[in-house]
C-alpha cells in the first residue's frame, strides 16, 4: 500500500486511547473531571504516542449508566464543560496530530430524553414511534438475552399510562430507539453530521447488534449500517466507524460489510480478546492461536481493533462454561470480582498480581497482533480497580497523575470526588504518572518506547497474518507481511524460559533486525530462527530484503 493510501486509512495504524472525561482530570476543582482537564493533558497523550483519542459519552445525561443514557445529543454535560471547551479540546488534539472519535450511543436514549417523555405522554405524540412498543404482555426474556441480569428480568417494561410495553435491551431507563422509523434514521444522521461538522474523526458505535433486534419489522441491520456509512462518507470520507459488536466470529465479520469499508470499518476483536485471557491463565498459547486461526483477516479497507480491557466488565461470554470458570478461578476467584456471571470487574495488573513481565507480555501481544491497538486510560501506568465501588464502576476510577491527594486528579476532599480513587497496592501512592516518568524501567516509559515502535511498524496495521510453528505450546509465533517486509513476533506465555526454533519460511536474501533491541539475532540456515526466550519473554523482528531502507 502506498504512503498516501495508508494515510487515508489512518485508523489502520492508529494507537487509540479511550478515556472518560469525568475521571481524567478535574481542572476547575469541583471534584469532577472536565474537558479542560483533558485538553491540559493532550501533550501527555501525544508524548506517549497516542494518535487517536476516543472520548466516552460527555453528553447531558441523568448518569444512571455513566453517560450511556443521553438526554441531548447536541450538547455537553454542563458538569464537564461546554461545547466551546469541546472545540478547544478538538483543536488542541488536532494541533498535536491527534484524531478524536466520540461515542455514538444510538441504540437507546435516556427515559428522560424529551423524545421519550413526549412519547410516553401520549400514543399520539409525534415521538411515540421513535420507540418500540407492543400491546400484548411480552414473553419471558431468556436469561442469556439480559445484559444486566442484576437489575432487569425482562427487556420489556410496561408503561402504566398507555398499558403498552416498550423495549429496552439495557436498563429500563434506556428505551430502545425504533430503527424501522425513517424519522429515527434521519435523526441519527443529523447527530453524526453535527459532530462531524465540529471536526470529530469518527465514532465508536455503541451496542451495535442490539439496534435492530426484536423490532419485528424485518429490518436488515446491514442496510442500516451501510446507510449510516454512506452518509458519513458523503460528509467526511476518512471518518471512521468503530463498532462494539460482541458476537462470535462469523456473525461479527458480517458487520464489515461486503464492499471496501462500506459498513463498520473497525470492529473490536472480542473473540480474540477473550481467548487471550484463557491463554494467559493456562500459560499456553494454543487458545489464542486457535482464536486467531478462526478469526478471518479484516478486509483491506477494514480493521480489527485490539484491546485487553475497556470500561465495561471483562466479558468472557464467548468462552465455554469450563473455560470461563478457569479464568474466574485464576483472575477473579472472589465472587465480588465477578459480574453478571460472565465477566470480571477488574483491571489487568491486579489480575496478573502486578507481575511486570507478564503484563508487558500481554501488552506486547496487544500491540503486535494485526490490527489497531486500543488502550483504556490508566493501562499505560498499570492502574488497578477499586472493588469497593459497585458493578462496572470499579474500573472507572480517577486517573492517577501523582502520589498527592486524589492522585493529582482533583484538589477536593476525597468525599467530594466524582468517584473514589483506587486504594492500596495499585493506588496513586504506588502507581502514578509522575513517578513513572522519572524511571526508565517504568511501565509508562516502556509503553512510550513500544508505542513508538508499533507506529514505526506500519506492517502490523496493514499486513497479512501467518501463524508460524515454534514447536512449543507456550509460544505464539506469528508473522505479519506487507509488501517485501515481514514482521516476526514471538511470545512466550509460559512461566519457564525456553528454547524455540521458529520456521520462517522463505528468507533468501533477507536480513533480520531486532526491533526491541534485546540483543542481536542472526538468522539461522534455511529460514530457521533459533531463540531463547525468558519466562513471559517476547521478541519482535523485521525481516526484509537487505537493500531495503526502513526505520532504525
Ligand atoms: C455499551 C457500553 C456500556 C453501556 C451499554 C449501554 O455496551 O460499553 O458501558 O452500559 O453499551 O449503552
Amino acid at each position: 500500500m502506498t504512503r498516501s493510501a495508508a494515510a487515508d486509512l489512518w485508523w489502520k495504524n492508529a494507537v487509540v486511547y479511550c478515556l472518560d472525561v469525568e475521571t481524567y482530570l478535574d481542572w476547575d476543582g469541583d471534584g469532577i473531571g472536565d474537558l479542560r482537564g483533558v485538553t491540559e493533558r493532550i501533550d501527555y497523550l501525544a508524548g506517549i504516542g497516542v494518535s487517536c483519542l476516543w472520548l466516552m459519552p460527555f453528553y447531558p445525561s441523568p448518569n444512571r449508566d455513566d453517560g450511556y443514557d443521553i438526554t441531548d445529543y447536541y450538547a455537553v454535560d454542563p458538569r464537564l464543560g461546554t461545547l466551546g471547551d469541546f472545540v478547544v479540546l478538538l483543536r488542541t488534539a488536532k494541533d498535536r496530530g491527534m484524531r478524536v472519535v466520540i461515542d455514538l450511543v444510538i441504540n437507546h436514549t435516556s427515559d428522560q430524553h424529551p423524545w421519550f417523555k413526549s412519547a410516553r405522554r401520549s400514543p399520539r405524540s409525534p415521538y411515540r414511534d421513535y420507540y418500540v412498543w407492543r400491546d400484548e404482555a411480552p414473553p419471558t426474556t431468556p436469561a442469556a438475552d439480559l445484559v444486566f441480569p442484576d437489575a432487569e428480568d425482562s427487556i420489556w417494561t410496561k408503561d402504566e399510562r398507555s398499558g403498552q410495553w416498550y423495549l429496552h435491551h439495557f436498563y429500563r431507563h434506556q428505551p430502545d430507539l425504533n430503527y424501522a422509523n425513517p424519522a429515527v434514521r434521519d435523526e441519527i444522521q443529523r447527530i453524526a453530521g453535527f459532530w462531524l461538522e465540529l471536526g470529530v474523526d469518527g465514532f465508536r458505535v455503541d451496542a451495535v447488534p442490539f439496534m435492530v433486534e426484536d423490532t419485528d419489522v424485518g429490518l436488515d441491520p446491514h442496510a442500516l449500517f451501510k446507510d449510516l456509512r454512506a452518509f458519513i462518507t458523503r460528509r467526511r470520507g476518512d471518518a471512521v466507524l468503530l463498532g462494539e459488536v460482541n458476537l462470535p466470529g462469523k456473525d461479527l465479520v458480517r458487520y464489515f460489510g461486503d464492499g471496501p469499508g462500506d459498513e463498520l470499518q473497525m470492529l473490536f476483536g472480542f473473540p480474540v480478546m477473550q481467548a487471550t485471557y484463557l491463554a494467559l491463565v493456562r500459560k499456553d498459547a494454543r487458545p489464542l492461536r486457535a482464536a486467531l486461526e478462526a478469526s478471518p483477516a479484516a478486509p483491506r479497507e477494514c480493521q480489527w481493533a485490539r484491546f485487553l480491557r475497556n470500561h465495561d466488565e471483562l466479558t468472557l461470554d464467548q468462552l465455554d462454561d469450563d473455560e470461563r470458570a478457569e479464568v474466574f478461578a485464576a483472575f477473579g476467584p472472589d465472587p465480588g470480582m465477578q459480574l453478571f456471571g460472565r465477566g470480571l470487574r477488574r483491571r489487568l495488573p491486579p489480575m496478573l498480581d502486578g507481575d511486570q513481565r507478564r503484563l508487558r507480555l500481554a501488552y506486547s501481544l496487544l500491540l503486535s497482533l494485526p490490527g489497531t491497538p486500543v488502550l483504556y486510560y490508566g493501562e499505560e501506568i498499570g492502574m488497578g480497580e477499586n472493588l469497593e465501588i459497585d458493578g462496572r464502576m470499579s474500573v472507572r476510577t480517577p486517573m492517577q497523575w501523582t502520589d498527592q491527594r486524589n492522585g493529582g486528579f482533583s484538589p477536593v476532599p476525597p468525599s467530594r470526588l466524582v468517584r473514589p480513587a483506587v486504594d492500596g497496592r495499585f493506588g496513586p501512592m504506588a502507581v502514578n504518572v509522575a513517578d513513572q516518568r522519572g524511571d526508565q524501567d517504568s511501565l509508562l516509559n516502556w509503553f512510550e518506547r513500544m508505542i513508538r515502535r508499533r507506529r514505526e511498524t506500519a506492517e502490523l496495521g496493514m499486513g497479512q497474518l501467518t501463524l508460524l510453528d515454534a514447536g512449543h505450546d507456550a509460544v505464539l509465533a506469528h508473522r505479519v507481511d506487507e509488501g517485501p517486509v515481514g514482521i516476526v513476533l514471538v511470545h512466550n506465555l509460559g512461566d519457564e524460559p525456553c528454547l524455540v526454533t521458529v520456521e520462517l519460511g522463505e528468507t533468501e536474501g533477507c536480513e533480520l533486525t531486532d526491533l526491541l533491541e534485546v540483543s542481536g539475532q542472526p538468522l539461522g540456515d534455511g529460514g530457521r530462527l533459533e531463540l531463547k526466550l525468558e519466562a513471559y519473554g517476547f521478541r519482535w523482528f523485521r525481516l526484509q530484503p537487505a537493500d531495503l531502507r526502513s526505520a532504525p
Side-chain angles (χ1 to χ4, degrees), residues 178-181 185 211-212 215-224:
N178 175 16
Y179 279 90
N181 181 350
R185 301 202 294 269
M211 283 172 59
V212 280
T215 46
D216 286 338
V217 287
L219 200 63
D220 175 1
H222 300 284
L224 179 74

Side-chain angles (χ1 to χ4, degrees), residues 2 8 183 194 205 208 221 273 296 307 395 409 414 500 504 544 549:
T2 62
D8 287 346
F194 173 80
V205 191
V208 166
M273 180 279 286
F307 69 112
V395 299
F409 160 72
V500 291
L504 294 180
Q544 63 175 38
R549 277 193 292 166

Side-chain angles (χ1 to χ4, degrees), residues 54-113:
W54 153 22
L55 299 177
M56 286 168 60
F58 51 79
Y59 315 95
S61 161
N63 255 307
R64 295 180 67 192
D65 184 13
D66 204 21
Y68 282 91
D69 47 333
I70 295 171
T71 50
D72 182 355
Y73 287 100
Y74 298 103
V76 168
D77 180 341
R79 299 175 319 135
L80 310 180
T82 63
L83 262 187
D85 295 332
F86 178 78
V87 170
V88 173
L89 190 168
L90 211 56
R91 178 173 156 74
T92 309
K94 280 174 194 288
D95 180 63
R96 312 302 198 271
M98 205 182 293
R99 310 261 183 170
V100 178
V101 305
I102 61 175
D103 246 290
L104 191 62
V105 186
I106 50 177
N107 170 69
H108 49 266
T109 66
S110 160
D111 65 353
Q112 299 306 305
H113 193 290

Side-chain angles (χ1 to χ4, degrees), residues 354-370:
D355 186 334
Q356 284 287 326
R357 295 170 308 167
R358 223 171 162 195
L359 252 186
R360 292 175 196 205
L361 166 86
Y363 286 114
S364 171
L365 279 169
L366 170 78
L367 291 167
S368 68
L369 291 178

Side-chain angles (χ1 to χ4, degrees), residues 448-508:
E448 189 176 322
R449 292 190 295 273
M450 289 296 280
I451 290 175
R452 181 184 309 125
R453 196 35 116 187
R454 169 63 185 77
R455 288 182 57 173
E456 290 169 346
T457 313
E459 292 81 6
L460 293 172
M462 296 287 177
Q464 293 305 307
L465 170 71
T466 311
L467 294 165
L468 303 174
D469 183 15
H472 197 301
D473 290 345
V475 176
L476 181 81
H478 68 287
R479 166 174 181 159
V480 185
D481 283 89
E482 167 74 5
V485 180
I487 307 299
V488 177
L489 308 120
V490 193
H491 289 84
N492 177 16
L493 283 81
D495 54 6
E496 304 274 347
C498 61
L499 270 174
V500 291
T501 304
V502 185
E503 304 287 346
L504 294 180
E506 184 50 57
T507 55
E508 180 89 24

Side-chain angles (χ1 to χ4, degrees), residues 428-446:
M429 293 300 284
V431 175
N432 67 68
V433 171
D435 288 352
Q436 293 196 23
R437 288 185 83 140
D439 172 3
Q440 267 316 299
D441 293 330
S442 67
L443 188 63
L444 179 63
N445 279 315
W446 178 85

Side-chain angles (χ1 to χ4, degrees), residues 42-43 72 113 195 241 267 283 289 381 405-406 450 474:
I42 292 289
D43 285 308
D72 182 355
H113 193 290
W195 293 99
L241 287 178
L267 295 172
K283 302 177 181 174
R289 194 183 168 95
I381 52 171
R405 178 190 245 192
N406 306 322
M450 289 296 280

